[in-house]
Amino acid sequence: MGDHEGYGKLPAAEDVALPKATVNKFANDLAASLDLRLTMEARELLAECCTEFVQLLSSGANEVCEKESKKTITPEHVLKALMELGLGQFHDEVAEEYERHKEGEKGSRGKNNAKSRLAESGITEEEMLRQQEELFRIARDDKLAVSRNDTGTGENSKE
């Protein structure tokens, strides 16, 4: 790996790399779906290419970010870097995938997710509250019983 015009010096391969197991699993799954096999050398080369691509794109996004006098790289900076790197043919697909990701994230956070789990459980909120109160009562009773046994005032105490 080395210098790339306009994007400064990238870190050496031994300094930064994608997890080999992840890249290998992805490559093997893709190859298997196409009824292909990959040699060890091909998997290693693919892992190096993936690392190089991520470094190049990250560096490009960083430059876009700096040009805009920002300190945080956003998805929009990554999309602009794709264009500046001459990879505009992937822009729309990447942007669509990012939108799908954002929509998926919205549904998996906060109260909306808790409410959907509640609805899927088939138990009313009132029933859940009743069950919770019952569990609290049992926990208090158990704590009280343990406390009595520890102080020697419980039924099991014989002195």
Side-chain angles (χ1 to χ4, degrees):
M1 292 183 217
D3 292 335
H4 294 278
E5 282 185 45
Y7 293 106
K9 178 138 176 68
L10 296 176
E14 56 273 2
D15 295 337
V16 178
L18 295 173
K20 281 188 180 182
T22 303
V23 175
N24 285 340
K25 179 171 180 8
F26 177 74
N28 287 334
D29 290 350
L30 182 60
S33 73
L34 299 171
D35 200 27
L36 298 172
R37 291 182 21 207
L38 295 170
T39 65
M40 179 63 77
E41 293 83 15
R43 282 194 301 270
E44 288 173 3
L45 179 59
L46 185 59
E48 288 178 31
C49 289
C50 289
T51 298
E52 179 76 16
F53 175 74
V54 169
Q55 289 176 344
L56 184 63
L57 188 57
S58 298
S59 184
N62 185 52
E63 287 220 352
V64 170
C65 182
E66 287 176 354
K67 284 179 194 172
E68 295 179 4
S69 301
K70 304 287 183 182
K71 294 189 181 242
T72 303
I73 296 173
T74 66
E76 290 72 25
H77 296 135
V78 175
L79 292 170
K80 283 182 185 177
L82 272 175
M83 299 299 286
E84 289 185 9
L85 288 168
L87 300 169
Q89 69 268 28
F90 299 108
H91 180 277
D92 292 345
E93 187 176 347
V94 171
E96 288 170 14
E97 190 59 39
Y98 173 61
E99 289 302 318
R100 279 194 291 279
H101 171 74
K102 280 195 323 189
E103 289 302 313
E105 286 292 305
K106 284 181 186 175
S108 65
R109 286 194 220 154
K111 292 184 177 183
N112 290 340
N113 193 29
K115 286 183 180 180
S116 67
R117 284 195 315 257
L118 175 64
E120 290 171 5
S121 73
I123 300 174
T124 66
E125 191 171 353
E126 292 78 20
E127 175 61 16
M128 284 191 152
L129 288 171
R130 188 199 63 72
Q131 289 177 3
Q132 183 181 35
E133 288 299 322
E134 178 66 14
L135 290 171
F136 286 153
R137 185 193 60 74
I138 291 169
R140 279 191 299 271
D141 291 350
D142 285 350
K143 186 176 180 183
L144 186 59
V146 168
S147 176
R148 285 183 183 157
N149 286 335
D150 288 346
T151 61
T153 59
E155 299 170 6
N156 297 336
S157 172
K158 294 184 181 179
E159 290 189 62

Short mmCIF file of all heavy atoms in Angstrom, two decimals, residues 57-122:
data_model
loop_
_atom_site.label_atom_id
_atom_site.label_comp_id
_atom_site.label_asym_id
_atom_site.label_seq_id
_atom_site.Cartn_x
_atom_site.Cartn_y
_atom_site.Cartn_z
N LEU A 57 -11.12 5.06 0.66
CA LEU A 57 -12.40 5.75 0.80
C LEU A 57 -12.44 6.58 2.08
O LEU A 57 -12.94 7.72 2.08
CB LEU A 57 -13.55 4.73 0.78
CG LEU A 57 -14.95 5.30 0.74
CD1 LEU A 57 -15.15 6.22 -0.46
CD2 LEU A 57 -15.98 4.17 0.70
N SER A 58 -11.89 6.06 3.16
CA SER A 58 -11.85 6.81 4.42
C SER A 58 -11.00 8.07 4.28
O SER A 58 -11.38 9.15 4.76
CB SER A 58 -11.27 5.94 5.55
OG SER A 58 -12.07 4.83 5.78
N SER A 59 -9.86 7.92 3.63
CA SER A 59 -8.99 9.07 3.41
C SER A 59 -9.68 10.12 2.53
O SER A 59 -9.62 11.32 2.81
CB SER A 59 -7.69 8.60 2.76
OG SER A 59 -6.80 9.66 2.61
N GLY A 60 -10.38 9.65 1.49
CA GLY A 60 -11.12 10.56 0.62
C GLY A 60 -12.22 11.28 1.37
O GLY A 60 -12.42 12.50 1.22
N ALA A 61 -12.95 10.55 2.21
CA ALA A 61 -14.02 11.16 3.01
C ALA A 61 -13.44 12.16 4.00
O ALA A 61 -14.03 13.22 4.24
CB ALA A 61 -14.80 10.07 3.74
N ASN A 62 -12.28 11.86 4.53
CA ASN A 62 -11.62 12.79 5.45
C ASN A 62 -11.26 14.09 4.73
O ASN A 62 -11.45 15.18 5.28
CB ASN A 62 -10.37 12.15 6.05
CG ASN A 62 -9.74 13.03 7.09
OD1 ASN A 62 -10.39 13.49 8.02
ND2 ASN A 62 -8.45 13.29 6.93
N GLU A 63 -10.76 13.98 3.51
CA GLU A 63 -10.42 15.19 2.75
C GLU A 63 -11.67 16.02 2.45
O GLU A 63 -11.63 17.25 2.55
CB GLU A 63 -9.70 14.83 1.46
CG GLU A 63 -8.29 14.38 1.72
CD GLU A 63 -7.31 14.89 0.71
OE1 GLU A 63 -7.73 15.48 -0.30
OE2 GLU A 63 -6.11 14.69 0.95
N VAL A 64 -12.76 15.36 2.08
CA VAL A 64 -14.02 16.08 1.82
C VAL A 64 -14.46 16.80 3.10
O VAL A 64 -14.85 17.97 3.07
CB VAL A 64 -15.12 15.10 1.33
CG1 VAL A 64 -16.48 15.79 1.30
CG2 VAL A 64 -14.77 14.52 -0.03
N CYS A 65 -14.35 16.09 4.19
CA CYS A 65 -14.72 16.65 5.50
C CYS A 65 -13.87 17.89 5.81
O CYS A 65 -14.40 18.92 6.23
CB CYS A 65 -14.53 15.57 6.56
SG CYS A 65 -15.00 16.02 8.22
N GLU A 66 -12.57 17.78 5.60
CA GLU A 66 -11.68 18.91 5.87
C GLU A 66 -11.97 20.09 4.96
O GLU A 66 -11.91 21.24 5.40
CB GLU A 66 -10.22 18.47 5.72
CG GLU A 66 -9.74 17.59 6.85
CD GLU A 66 -8.32 17.08 6.67
OE1 GLU A 66 -7.71 17.31 5.59
OE2 GLU A 66 -7.82 16.43 7.60
N LYS A 67 -12.27 19.83 3.70
CA LYS A 67 -12.60 20.91 2.75
C LYS A 67 -13.82 21.70 3.24
O LYS A 67 -13.93 22.89 2.99
CB LYS A 67 -12.89 20.35 1.36
CG LYS A 67 -11.68 19.94 0.59
CD LYS A 67 -12.10 19.39 -0.77
CE LYS A 67 -10.97 18.66 -1.46
NZ LYS A 67 -11.41 17.96 -2.68
N GLU A 68 -14.74 21.00 3.91
CA GLU A 68 -15.94 21.65 4.42
C GLU A 68 -15.74 22.19 5.84
O GLU A 68 -16.68 22.60 6.50
CB GLU A 68 -17.10 20.66 4.40
CG GLU A 68 -17.50 20.24 3.00
CD GLU A 68 -18.65 19.23 2.98
OE1 GLU A 68 -19.20 18.90 4.06
OE2 GLU A 68 -19.00 18.78 1.88
N SER A 69 -14.49 22.15 6.31
CA SER A 69 -14.13 22.63 7.66
C SER A 69 -14.94 21.93 8.75
O SER A 69 -15.35 22.54 9.73
CB SER A 69 -14.31 24.15 7.77
OG SER A 69 -13.49 24.79 6.82
N LYS A 70 -15.16 20.65 8.56
CA LYS A 70 -15.88 19.84 9.56
C LYS A 70 -14.88 18.96 10.29
O LYS A 70 -13.78 18.69 9.80
CB LYS A 70 -16.94 18.96 8.90
CG LYS A 70 -17.95 19.71 8.06
CD LYS A 70 -18.90 20.46 8.93
CE LYS A 70 -19.94 21.14 8.05
NZ LYS A 70 -20.87 21.93 8.78
N LYS A 71 -15.26 18.50 11.45
CA LYS A 71 -14.38 17.63 12.24
C LYS A 71 -14.90 16.20 12.32
O LYS A 71 -14.21 15.33 12.83
CB LYS A 71 -14.21 18.20 13.65
CG LYS A 71 -13.48 19.52 13.65
CD LYS A 71 -13.12 19.95 15.04
CE LYS A 71 -12.42 21.28 14.99
NZ LYS A 71 -11.08 21.22 15.48
N THR A 72 -16.10 15.97 11.83
CA THR A 72 -16.69 14.63 11.88
C THR A 72 -17.08 14.21 10.47
O THR A 72 -17.80 14.91 9.78
CB THR A 72 -17.95 14.63 12.79
OG1 THR A 72 -17.58 15.09 14.08
CG2 THR A 72 -18.54 13.24 12.89
N ILE A 73 -16.60 13.03 10.09
CA ILE A 73 -16.95 12.49 8.77
C ILE A 73 -18.38 11.96 8.84
O ILE A 73 -18.74 11.20 9.74
CB ILE A 73 -15.99 11.36 8.37
CG1 ILE A 73 -14.58 11.91 8.21
CG2 ILE A 73 -16.45 10.69 7.08
CD1 ILE A 73 -13.52 10.84 7.99
N THR A 74 -19.20 12.37 7.87
CA THR A 74 -20.59 11.92 7.80
C THR A 74 -20.76 11.00 6.60
O THR A 74 -19.88 10.96 5.72
CB THR A 74 -21.54 13.13 7.66
OG1 THR A 74 -21.30 13.74 6.39
CG2 THR A 74 -21.36 14.13 8.79
N PRO A 75 -21.88 10.30 6.52
CA PRO A 75 -22.14 9.47 5.34
C PRO A 75 -22.10 10.28 4.04
O PRO A 75 -21.66 9.78 3.01
CB PRO A 75 -23.54 8.91 5.60
CG PRO A 75 -23.64 8.86 7.08
CD PRO A 75 -22.90 10.09 7.55
N GLU A 76 -22.52 11.54 4.10
CA GLU A 76 -22.50 12.38 2.91
C GLU A 76 -21.06 12.60 2.43
O GLU A 76 -20.80 12.67 1.22
CB GLU A 76 -23.19 13.72 3.17
CG GLU A 76 -24.70 13.61 3.34
CD GLU A 76 -25.15 12.95 4.66
OE1 GLU A 76 -24.39 12.97 5.67
OE2 GLU A 76 -26.26 12.40 4.66
N HIS A 77 -20.11 12.71 3.36
CA HIS A 77 -18.70 12.85 2.98
C HIS A 77 -18.21 11.59 2.28
O HIS A 77 -17.44 11.67 1.31
CB HIS A 77 -17.83 13.14 4.21
CG HIS A 77 -18.14 14.44 4.88
ND1 HIS A 77 -18.27 14.55 6.25
CD2 HIS A 77 -18.37 15.68 4.38
CE1 HIS A 77 -18.55 15.81 6.56
NE2 HIS A 77 -18.62 16.51 5.43
N VAL A 78 -18.64 10.44 2.76
CA VAL A 78 -18.25 9.17 2.13
C VAL A 78 -18.81 9.10 0.72
O VAL A 78 -18.11 8.71 -0.22
CB VAL A 78 -18.72 7.97 2.98
CG1 VAL A 78 -18.42 6.66 2.28
CG2 VAL A 78 -18.07 8.00 4.37
N LEU A 79 -20.06 9.50 0.55
CA LEU A 79 -20.68 9.48 -0.79
C LEU A 79 -19.97 10.44 -1.74
O LEU A 79 -19.75 10.11 -2.91
CB LEU A 79 -22.17 9.80 -0.68
CG LEU A 79 -23.02 8.74 0.03
CD1 LEU A 79 -24.43 9.26 0.30
CD2 LEU A 79 -23.05 7.46 -0.78
N LYS A 80 -19.59 11.61 -1.24
CA LYS A 80 -18.86 12.57 -2.09
C LYS A 80 -17.49 12.00 -2.45
O LYS A 80 -17.02 12.17 -3.58
CB LYS A 80 -18.70 13.91 -1.37
CG LYS A 80 -19.96 14.75 -1.37
CD LYS A 80 -19.71 16.08 -0.69
CE LYS A 80 -20.99 16.88 -0.58
NZ LYS A 80 -20.80 18.15 0.15
N ALA A 81 -16.85 11.31 -1.51
CA ALA A 81 -15.54 10.72 -1.79
C ALA A 81 -15.66 9.65 -2.86
O ALA A 81 -14.76 9.52 -3.71
CB ALA A 81 -14.95 10.14 -0.50
N LEU A 82 -16.74 8.89 -2.85
CA LEU A 82 -16.96 7.90 -3.92
C LEU A 82 -16.92 8.58 -5.29
O LEU A 82 -16.28 8.08 -6.22
CB LEU A 82 -18.32 7.21 -3.75
CG LEU A 82 -18.41 5.97 -2.88
CD1 LEU A 82 -19.85 5.52 -2.75
CD2 LEU A 82 -17.54 4.85 -3.41
N MET A 83 -17.61 9.71 -5.38
CA MET A 83 -17.66 10.45 -6.64
C MET A 83 -16.26 10.96 -7.02
O MET A 83 -15.83 10.81 -8.16
CB MET A 83 -18.63 11.63 -6.54
CG MET A 83 -20.07 11.24 -6.25
SD MET A 83 -20.80 10.18 -7.49
CE MET A 83 -21.05 11.36 -8.79
N GLU A 84 -15.55 11.54 -6.05
CA GLU A 84 -14.23 12.11 -6.33
C GLU A 84 -13.21 11.04 -6.69
O GLU A 84 -12.24 11.32 -7.38
CB GLU A 84 -13.75 12.94 -5.13
CG GLU A 84 -14.53 14.23 -4.97
CD GLU A 84 -14.01 15.13 -3.87
OE1 GLU A 84 -12.92 14.85 -3.32
OE2 GLU A 84 -14.69 16.12 -3.57
N LEU A 85 -13.41 9.83 -6.20
CA LEU A 85 -12.50 8.73 -6.52
C LEU A 85 -12.83 8.07 -7.86
O LEU A 85 -12.18 7.10 -8.24
CB LEU A 85 -12.54 7.68 -5.40
CG LEU A 85 -11.88 8.08 -4.09
CD1 LEU A 85 -12.25 7.09 -2.98
CD2 LEU A 85 -10.38 8.16 -4.25
N GLY A 86 -13.84 8.60 -8.53
CA GLY A 86 -14.23 8.03 -9.82
C GLY A 86 -15.08 6.78 -9.68
O GLY A 86 -15.15 5.96 -10.59
N LEU A 87 -15.73 6.63 -8.54
CA LEU A 87 -16.58 5.46 -8.29
C LEU A 87 -18.05 5.85 -8.23
O LEU A 87 -18.85 5.27 -7.49
CB LEU A 87 -16.15 4.77 -6.99
CG LEU A 87 -14.70 4.27 -6.97
CD1 LEU A 87 -14.29 3.85 -5.57
CD2 LEU A 87 -14.52 3.13 -7.96
N GLY A 88 -18.40 6.85 -9.02
CA GLY A 88 -19.76 7.37 -9.05
C GLY A 88 -20.80 6.34 -9.42
O GLY A 88 -21.96 6.45 -9.01
N GLN A 89 -20.40 5.29 -10.14
CA GLN A 89 -21.37 4.26 -10.53
C GLN A 89 -21.92 3.51 -9.32
O GLN A 89 -22.96 2.88 -9.41
CB GLN A 89 -20.76 3.27 -11.54
CG GLN A 89 -19.68 2.36 -10.99
CD GLN A 89 -18.27 2.89 -11.14
OE1 GLN A 89 -18.04 4.10 -11.18
NE2 GLN A 89 -17.30 1.99 -11.23
N PHE A 90 -21.25 3.64 -8.17
CA PHE A 90 -21.73 2.96 -6.96
C PHE A 90 -22.52 3.90 -6.04
O PHE A 90 -23.10 3.47 -5.06
CB PHE A 90 -20.56 2.37 -6.17
CG PHE A 90 -19.78 1.36 -6.96
CD1 PHE A 90 -18.53 1.65 -7.44
CD2 PHE A 90 -20.33 0.11 -7.23
CE1 PHE A 90 -17.81 0.73 -8.18
CE2 PHE A 90 -19.62 -0.83 -7.97
CZ PHE A 90 -18.36 -0.52 -8.45
N HIS A 91 -22.51 5.19 -6.36
CA HIS A 91 -23.10 6.20 -5.48
C HIS A 91 -24.56 5.89 -5.13
O HIS A 91 -24.93 5.86 -3.96
CB HIS A 91 -22.99 7.59 -6.12
CG HIS A 91 -23.58 8.67 -5.29
ND1 HIS A 91 -24.93 8.96 -5.29
CD2 HIS A 91 -23.02 9.52 -4.39
CE1 HIS A 91 -25.17 9.94 -4.45
NE2 HIS A 91 -24.02 10.30 -3.89
N ASP A 92 -25.40 5.69 -6.14
CA ASP A 92 -26.82 5.50 -5.89
C ASP A 92 -27.10 4.24 -5.07
O ASP A 92 -27.89 4.26 -4.13
CB ASP A 92 -27.61 5.46 -7.20
CG ASP A 92 -27.62 6.81 -7.90
OD1 ASP A 92 -27.28 7.82 -7.25
OD2 ASP A 92 -27.96 6.84 -9.10
N GLU A 93 -26.41 3.17 -5.41
CA GLU A 93 -26.61 1.91 -4.69
C GLU A 93 -26.17 2.05 -3.22
O GLU A 93 -26.87 1.59 -2.32
CB GLU A 93 -25.83 0.79 -5.37
CG GLU A 93 -26.12 -0.57 -4.79
CD GLU A 93 -25.40 -1.69 -5.54
OE1 GLU A 93 -24.88 -1.46 -6.65
OE2 GLU A 93 -25.37 -2.79 -4.99
N VAL A 94 -25.05 2.70 -2.99
CA VAL A 94 -24.56 2.90 -1.63
C VAL A 94 -25.52 3.82 -0.86
O VAL A 94 -25.85 3.56 0.30
CB VAL A 94 -23.12 3.46 -1.63
CG1 VAL A 94 -22.68 3.87 -0.23
CG2 VAL A 94 -22.16 2.42 -2.20
N ALA A 95 -25.97 4.88 -1.51
CA ALA A 95 -26.91 5.81 -0.86
C ALA A 95 -28.22 5.09 -0.49
O ALA A 95 -28.76 5.29 0.61
CB ALA A 95 -27.19 7.00 -1.77
N GLU A 96 -28.72 4.25 -1.38
CA GLU A 96 -29.95 3.49 -1.09
C GLU A 96 -29.73 2.52 0.07
O GLU A 96 -30.60 2.38 0.94
CB GLU A 96 -30.41 2.73 -2.34
CG GLU A 96 -30.98 3.62 -3.42
CD GLU A 96 -31.21 2.87 -4.74
OE1 GLU A 96 -31.17 1.62 -4.75
OE2 GLU A 96 -31.41 3.56 -5.76
N GLU A 97 -28.59 1.87 0.07
CA GLU A 97 -28.30 0.94 1.17
C GLU A 97 -28.19 1.67 2.49
O GLU A 97 -28.66 1.20 3.52
CB GLU A 97 -27.00 0.17 0.87
CG GLU A 97 -26.75 -0.98 1.82
CD GLU A 97 -27.86 -2.02 1.82
OE1 GLU A 97 -28.40 -2.35 0.75
OE2 GLU A 97 -28.19 -2.52 2.92
N TYR A 98 -27.59 2.84 2.47
CA TYR A 98 -27.50 3.66 3.69
C TYR A 98 -28.90 4.05 4.19
O TYR A 98 -29.17 3.98 5.39
CB TYR A 98 -26.65 4.91 3.44
CG TYR A 98 -26.66 5.86 4.59
CD1 TYR A 98 -26.18 5.47 5.84
CD2 TYR A 98 -27.17 7.14 4.46
CE1 TYR A 98 -26.21 6.33 6.92
CE2 TYR A 98 -27.20 8.01 5.53
CZ TYR A 98 -26.72 7.61 6.76
OH TYR A 98 -26.77 8.46 7.82
N GLU A 99 -29.78 4.43 3.28
CA GLU A 99 -31.16 4.78 3.67
C GLU A 99 -31.86 3.58 4.30
O GLU A 99 -32.56 3.70 5.30
CB GLU A 99 -31.96 5.31 2.48
CG GLU A 99 -31.53 6.69 2.03
CD GLU A 99 -31.64 7.74 3.12
OE1 GLU A 99 -32.64 7.74 3.88
OE2 GLU A 99 -30.71 8.57 3.24
N ARG A 100 -31.69 2.38 3.71
CA ARG A 100 -32.28 1.17 4.28
C ARG A 100 -31.72 0.91 5.67
O ARG A 100 -32.45 0.53 6.59
CB ARG A 100 -32.04 -0.04 3.38
CG ARG A 100 -33.01 -0.15 2.23
CD ARG A 100 -32.95 -1.52 1.57
NE ARG A 100 -31.71 -1.77 0.86
CZ ARG A 100 -31.42 -1.35 -0.37
NH1 ARG A 100 -32.31 -0.63 -1.03
NH2 ARG A 100 -30.28 -1.64 -0.93
N HIS A 101 -30.44 1.13 5.84
CA HIS A 101 -29.79 0.94 7.14
C HIS A 101 -30.38 1.90 8.17
O HIS A 101 -30.70 1.50 9.29
CB HIS A 101 -28.28 1.16 7.02
CG HIS A 101 -27.58 1.20 8.32
ND1 HIS A 101 -27.34 0.07 9.08
CD2 HIS A 101 -27.07 2.24 9.03
CE1 HIS A 101 -26.72 0.42 10.18
NE2 HIS A 101 -26.54 1.72 10.18
N LYS A 102 -30.55 3.19 7.77
CA LYS A 102 -31.12 4.18 8.69
C LYS A 102 -32.53 3.77 9.11
O LYS A 102 -32.90 3.89 10.28
CB LYS A 102 -31.16 5.57 8.05
CG LYS A 102 -29.85 6.28 8.08
CD LYS A 102 -29.92 7.76 7.77
CE LYS A 102 -30.89 8.19 6.73
NZ LYS A 102 -30.78 9.59 6.33
N GLU A 103 -33.34 3.32 8.15
CA GLU A 103 -34.71 2.90 8.46
C GLU A 103 -34.71 1.71 9.43
O GLU A 103 -35.50 1.65 10.35
CB GLU A 103 -35.47 2.55 7.19
CG GLU A 103 -35.82 3.74 6.34
CD GLU A 103 -36.64 4.79 7.08
OE1 GLU A 103 -37.64 4.42 7.75
OE2 GLU A 103 -36.29 5.98 6.99
N GLY A 104 -33.80 0.78 9.21
CA GLY A 104 -33.69 -0.37 10.10
C GLY A 104 -33.27 0.03 11.50
O GLY A 104 -33.74 -0.53 12.49
N GLU A 105 -32.40 1.03 11.59
CA GLU A 105 -31.95 1.51 12.90
C GLU A 105 -33.08 2.20 13.66
O GLU A 105 -33.17 2.07 14.86
CB GLU A 105 -30.79 2.50 12.72
CG GLU A 105 -29.49 1.85 12.36
CD GLU A 105 -28.93 0.99 13.47
OE1 GLU A 105 -28.75 1.50 14.59
OE2 GLU A 105 -28.70 -0.19 13.22
N LYS A 106 -33.93 2.91 12.95
CA LYS A 106 -35.04 3.61 13.61
C LYS A 106 -35.94 2.61 14.33
O LYS A 106 -36.39 2.87 15.44
CB LYS A 106 -35.88 4.39 12.59
CG LYS A 106 -35.26 5.66 12.13
CD LYS A 106 -36.18 6.38 11.16
CE LYS A 106 -35.52 7.59 10.56
NZ LYS A 106 -36.36 8.21 9.53
N GLY A 107 -36.19 1.49 13.72
CA GLY A 107 -37.08 0.49 14.31
C GLY A 107 -36.46 -0.30 15.44
O GLY A 107 -37.16 -0.95 16.20
N SER A 108 -35.14 -0.23 15.59
CA SER A 108 -34.51 -1.06 16.61
C SER A 108 -34.05 -0.26 17.82
O SER A 108 -33.26 -0.73 18.61
CB SER A 108 -33.31 -1.79 15.99
OG SER A 108 -32.32 -0.87 15.60
N ARG A 109 -34.54 0.95 17.97
CA ARG A 109 -34.12 1.77 19.11
C ARG A 109 -35.31 2.27 19.92
O ARG A 109 -36.40 2.43 19.42
CB ARG A 109 -33.39 3.02 18.62
CG ARG A 109 -32.02 2.75 18.13
CD ARG A 109 -31.29 4.07 18.00
NE ARG A 109 -30.49 4.01 16.79
CZ ARG A 109 -30.12 5.03 16.09
NH1 ARG A 109 -30.47 6.22 16.44
NH2 ARG A 109 -29.40 4.89 15.01
N GLY A 110 -35.02 2.57 21.18
CA GLY A 110 -35.93 3.32 22.03
C GLY A 110 -37.28 2.72 22.28
O GLY A 110 -37.49 1.52 22.23
N LYS A 111 -38.23 3.60 22.57
CA LYS A 111 -39.57 3.19 22.97
C LYS A 111 -40.31 2.47 21.84
O LYS A 111 -41.12 1.60 22.09
CB LYS A 111 -40.38 4.40 23.43
CG LYS A 111 -39.88 4.97 24.73
CD LYS A 111 -40.76 6.09 25.21
CE LYS A 111 -40.27 6.61 26.55
NZ LYS A 111 -41.14 7.64 27.07
N ASN A 112 -40.07 2.86 20.61
CA ASN A 112 -40.76 2.20 19.50
C ASN A 112 -40.48 0.71 19.51
O ASN A 112 -41.37 -0.10 19.31
CB ASN A 112 -40.31 2.79 18.15
CG ASN A 112 -40.83 4.20 17.96
OD1 ASN A 112 -41.79 4.60 18.61
ND2 ASN A 112 -40.19 4.94 17.08
N ASN A 113 -39.23 0.33 19.77
CA ASN A 113 -38.87 -1.07 19.81
C ASN A 113 -39.53 -1.75 21.00
O ASN A 113 -40.03 -2.87 20.89
CB ASN A 113 -37.36 -1.24 19.86
CG ASN A 113 -36.94 -2.66 19.58
OD1 ASN A 113 -37.61 -3.38 18.86
ND2 ASN A 113 -35.83 -3.05 20.13
N ALA A 114 -39.55 -1.09 22.15
CA ALA A 114 -40.18 -1.66 23.34
C ALA A 114 -41.67 -1.86 23.10
O ALA A 114 -42.24 -2.89 23.48
CB ALA A 114 -39.94 -0.76 24.55
N LYS A 115 -42.30 -0.90 22.46
CA LYS A 115 -43.73 -1.01 22.19
C LYS A 115 -44.01 -2.14 21.20
O LYS A 115 -44.99 -2.87 21.34
CB LYS A 115 -44.29 0.31 21.66
CG LYS A 115 -44.43 1.35 22.74
CD LYS A 115 -45.04 2.63 22.21
CE LYS A 115 -45.15 3.65 23.33
NZ LYS A 115 -45.73 4.90 22.87
N SER A 116 -43.15 -2.31 20.21
CA SER A 116 -43.39 -3.39 19.25
C SER A 116 -43.18 -4.74 19.91
O SER A 116 -43.90 -5.69 19.63
CB SER A 116 -42.50 -3.24 18.02
OG SER A 116 -41.14 -3.43 18.34
N ARG A 117 -42.21 -4.86 20.81
CA ARG A 117 -42.02 -6.12 21.54
C ARG A 117 -43.23 -6.40 22.42
O ARG A 117 -43.66 -7.54 22.55
CB ARG A 117 -40.74 -6.07 22.37
CG ARG A 117 -39.49 -6.24 21.55
CD ARG A 117 -38.29 -6.55 22.42
NE ARG A 117 -38.17 -5.72 23.60
CZ ARG A 117 -37.34 -4.71 23.74
NH1 ARG A 117 -36.54 -4.39 22.76
NH2 ARG A 117 -37.29 -4.01 24.85
N LEU A 118 -43.77 -5.36 23.04
CA LEU A 118 -44.96 -5.51 23.87
C LEU A 118 -46.12 -6.01 23.03
O LEU A 118 -46.82 -6.95 23.40
CB LEU A 118 -45.31 -4.18 24.55
CG LEU A 118 -46.61 -4.15 25.36
CD1 LEU A 118 -46.51 -5.11 26.54
CD2 LEU A 118 -46.89 -2.75 25.85
N ALA A 119 -46.31 -5.41 21.87
CA ALA A 119 -47.41 -5.82 21.00
C ALA A 119 -47.23 -7.25 20.52
O ALA A 119 -48.19 -8.02 20.46
CB ALA A 119 -47.51 -4.88 19.80
N GLU A 120 -45.99 -7.63 20.20
CA GLU A 120 -45.72 -8.98 19.72
C GLU A 120 -45.88 -10.04 20.80
O GLU A 120 -46.14 -11.20 20.52
CB GLU A 120 -44.30 -9.07 19.14
CG GLU A 120 -44.14 -8.31 17.85
CD GLU A 120 -42.69 -8.22 17.40
OE1 GLU A 120 -41.83 -8.83 18.06
OE2 GLU A 120 -42.44 -7.53 16.41
N SER A 121 -45.75 -9.64 22.08
CA SER A 121 -45.84 -10.62 23.16
C SER A 121 -47.25 -11.15 23.36
O SER A 121 -47.42 -12.24 23.90
CB SER A 121 -45.35 -9.99 24.48
OG SER A 121 -46.33 -9.07 24.97
N GLY A 122 -48.27 -10.38 22.95
CA GLY A 122 -49.65 -10.82 23.11
C GLY A 122 -50.17 -10.60 24.52
O GLY A 122 -51.29 -10.99 24.84
#
